Amino acid sequence: MKRTSTAATRVFVYGTLLSGEPNHRLLRGARRIGSARTQPRFSLYDYGPFPALASRGKHAVEGEVYEVDTFILAALDRLEGHPHFYQRTSIALDGAGRVEAYLFPKARLTGRPTIKSGCWRTHLKEKKSW
């Protein structure tokens, strides 16, 4: 069956959906716009096997932007448990306009370590050297 969807949504990914990471396969068929970073108004947390992005922080977070159709967006929503686990929200990127991103409720991040570099890949490399 051929997918016919013209609606495109730009999504910022910053963890397991990044190219080369375990869940990137869900972005097959999406158009990669490029590397991007948030404005320095967020915090990135280590939530074990994946990161959690929260608003009202002080760091810029690195990631990638993809243009996805409604089918891929629905698959991403399922993966991220939107709206009950993560909440898909419109955010402003640094110099690249507004995109959708999956944010985690800050109240559920108490006690989780902050990733001060704002980069999940850098954090994973640092964890391996511990």
Side-chain angles (χ1 to χ4, degrees), residues 1 6 12 15 19 23 26-27 33 39 43 54 56-57 60 65 67-69 72-74 85 106 110 124-125 127:
M1 175 172 23
T6 57
F12 176 73
S19 57
N23 290 318
L26 293 175
L27 289 167
I33 303 300
Q39 294 179 345
S43 293
R56 289 177 264 147
V65 175
E67 193 170 83
V68 303
D69 63 21
I72 295 172
L73 187 62
F85 194 64
K106 208 164 191 170
T110 303
L124 289 177
K125 287 177 189 169
K127 276 175 81 166

Coordinates of all heavy atoms in Angstrom, one line a residue, residues 1 6 12 15 19 23 26-27 33 39 43 54 56-57 60 65 67-69 72-74 85 106 110 124-125 127:
M1 N 0.8 -1.2 0.0 CA 0.0 0.0 0.0 C 0.9 1.2 0.0 O 1.8 1.3 0.8 CB -0.9 0.0 1.2 CG -1.7 1.3 1.3 SD -3.0 1.5 2.5 CE -2.8 0.5 3.8
T6 N 0.9 14.5 2.5 CA 1.6 15.7 2.1 C 1.9 16.6 3.3 O 2.8 17.5 3.1 CB 0.8 16.5 1.1 OG1 -0.5 16.8 1.7 CG2 0.6 15.7 -0.2
F12 N 12.8 18.0 15.9 CA 14.1 18.0 16.4 C 14.3 16.8 17.3 O 13.6 16.5 18.2 CB 14.3 19.3 17.3 CG 15.6 19.4 18.1 CD1 16.8 19.7 17.4 CD2 15.7 19.2 19.4 CE1 18.0 19.8 18.1 CE2 16.9 19.3 20.1 CZ 18.0 19.6 19.4
G15 N 18.5 12.3 20.8 CA 18.9 11.1 21.6 C 18.9 9.9 20.7 O 19.6 9.8 19.7
S19 N 20.9 10.0 13.9 CA 21.5 9.1 12.9 C 22.5 8.2 13.6 O 23.3 8.7 14.4 CB 22.1 9.9 11.8 OG 23.1 10.8 12.2
N23 N 17.1 4.0 17.6 CA 15.7 4.2 17.1 C 15.7 5.1 15.8 O 14.6 5.4 15.3 CB 14.9 4.9 18.1 CG 14.6 3.9 19.3 OD1 14.3 2.8 19.0 ND2 14.7 4.4 20.5
L26 N 13.2 4.6 12.7 CA 11.9 5.1 12.6 C 11.8 6.4 11.7 O 10.7 6.8 11.2 CB 11.3 5.5 14.0 CG 11.1 4.3 14.9 CD1 10.6 4.8 16.3 CD2 10.0 3.4 14.3
L27 N 13.0 6.9 11.4 CA 13.0 8.1 10.5 C 13.3 7.8 9.1 O 13.5 8.7 8.2 CB 14.1 9.1 11.1 CG 13.7 9.8 12.3 CD1 14.9 10.5 13.0 CD2 12.5 10.8 12.1
I33 N 17.1 17.6 7.5 CA 17.3 19.0 7.3 C 18.7 19.4 7.7 O 19.4 20.1 7.0 CB 16.3 19.9 8.1 CG1 14.8 19.5 7.7 CG2 16.5 21.4 7.8 CD1 14.5 19.6 6.3
Q39 N 17.9 26.9 21.6 CA 18.4 28.1 22.3 C 18.8 27.6 23.7 O 18.3 26.6 24.2 CB 17.3 29.1 22.3 CG 16.9 29.6 20.9 CD 15.8 30.6 20.9 OE1 15.1 30.8 21.9 NE2 15.7 31.4 19.8
S43 N 17.3 21.9 29.5 CA 18.2 21.0 30.2 C 18.1 19.6 29.6 O 16.9 19.2 29.3 CB 17.9 21.0 31.7 OG 18.2 22.2 32.3
A54 N 14.1 18.9 28.8 CA 13.1 19.7 29.6 C 13.3 21.2 29.4 O 14.5 21.6 29.2 CB 13.3 19.4 31.1
R56 N 12.9 25.3 30.5 CA 13.3 26.2 31.6 C 14.6 25.8 32.2 O 14.8 25.7 33.4 CB 12.2 26.2 32.7 CG 11.0 27.0 32.2 CD 9.9 26.9 33.2 NE 9.0 25.9 32.8 CZ 8.3 25.1 33.6 NH1 8.3 25.2 34.9 NH2 7.6 24.1 33.1
G57 N 15.6 25.5 31.3 CA 16.9 25.2 31.7 C 17.9 26.3 31.2 O 17.5 27.4 30.8
A60 N 22.1 24.9 25.8 CA 21.7 24.6 24.4 C 21.9 23.1 24.2 O 22.9 22.5 24.7 CB 22.6 25.4 23.5
V65 N 17.5 17.9 12.8 CA 16.1 18.2 12.4 C 15.8 17.4 11.2 O 16.5 17.3 10.2 CB 15.9 19.7 12.1 CG1 14.5 20.0 11.6 CG2 16.2 20.5 13.4
E67 N 12.3 16.4 8.5 CA 11.0 16.7 8.0 C 10.3 15.4 7.8 O 10.8 14.5 7.1 CB 11.1 17.5 6.7 CG 9.8 18.1 6.3 CD 9.9 19.0 5.1 OE1 10.0 18.5 4.0 OE2 10.1 20.3 5.3
V68 N 9.2 15.2 8.6 CA 8.5 13.9 8.6 C 7.1 14.1 8.1 O 6.5 15.1 8.2 CB 8.5 13.3 10.0 CG1 10.0 13.1 10.5 CG2 7.7 14.1 11.0
D69 N 6.5 13.0 7.6 CA 5.1 13.0 7.2 C 4.3 12.5 8.3 O 4.8 12.2 9.4 CB 4.9 12.1 5.9 CG 5.2 10.6 6.1 OD1 5.2 10.2 7.3 OD2 5.4 9.9 5.1
I72 N 5.2 9.0 9.8 CA 6.4 8.9 10.6 C 6.2 9.7 11.9 O 6.6 9.2 13.0 CB 7.6 9.5 9.9 CG1 8.0 8.6 8.6 CG2 8.8 9.6 10.8 CD1 9.0 9.2 7.7
L73 N 5.5 10.8 11.9 CA 5.2 11.5 13.1 C 4.4 10.6 14.1 O 4.6 10.6 15.3 CB 4.4 12.8 12.8 CG 4.2 13.7 14.0 CD1 5.5 14.2 14.6 CD2 3.4 14.9 13.6
A74 N 3.4 9.9 13.6 CA 2.6 9.0 14.4 C 3.5 7.9 15.0 O 3.3 7.6 16.2 CB 1.5 8.4 13.6
F85 N 4.0 10.2 28.2 CA 5.3 10.0 28.7 C 6.1 11.3 28.4 O 6.4 12.1 29.2 CB 6.0 8.8 28.2 CG 7.2 8.3 28.9 CD1 7.2 8.0 30.2 CD2 8.4 8.3 28.2 CE1 8.4 7.6 30.9 CE2 9.6 7.9 28.9 CZ 9.6 7.6 30.2
K106 N 9.5 18.2 33.8 CA 10.6 18.4 34.7 C 10.3 17.8 36.1 O 11.3 17.3 36.7 CB 10.9 19.9 34.8 CG 12.3 20.2 35.1 CD 12.7 21.6 34.9 CE 14.2 21.8 34.9 NZ 14.6 23.1 34.5
T110 N 13.5 14.8 38.8 CA 14.2 15.0 40.1 C 15.1 13.9 40.4 O 14.8 12.7 40.3 CB 13.1 15.1 41.3 OG1 12.2 16.1 40.9 CG2 13.8 15.4 42.6
L124 N 27.4 9.8 26.0 CA 27.6 8.4 25.9 C 29.1 8.0 25.9 O 29.5 7.1 26.5 CB 26.9 7.8 24.7 CG 25.4 7.8 24.7 CD1 24.8 7.3 23.4 CD2 24.9 6.9 25.9
K125 N 29.9 8.8 25.1 CA 31.3 8.6 25.1 C 31.9 8.7 26.4 O 32.8 8.0 26.8 CB 32.0 9.5 24.1 CG 31.7 9.2 22.6 CD 32.3 10.2 21.7 CE 31.8 10.0 20.3 NZ 32.1 11.1 19.4
K127 N 30.5 8.4 29.3 CA 30.0 7.3 30.2 C 30.8 6.0 30.0 O 31.1 5.3 30.9 CB 28.5 7.0 30.0 CG 27.6 7.9 30.7 CD 26.2 7.6 30.4 CE 25.6 6.4 31.1 NZ 24.1 6.3 31.0

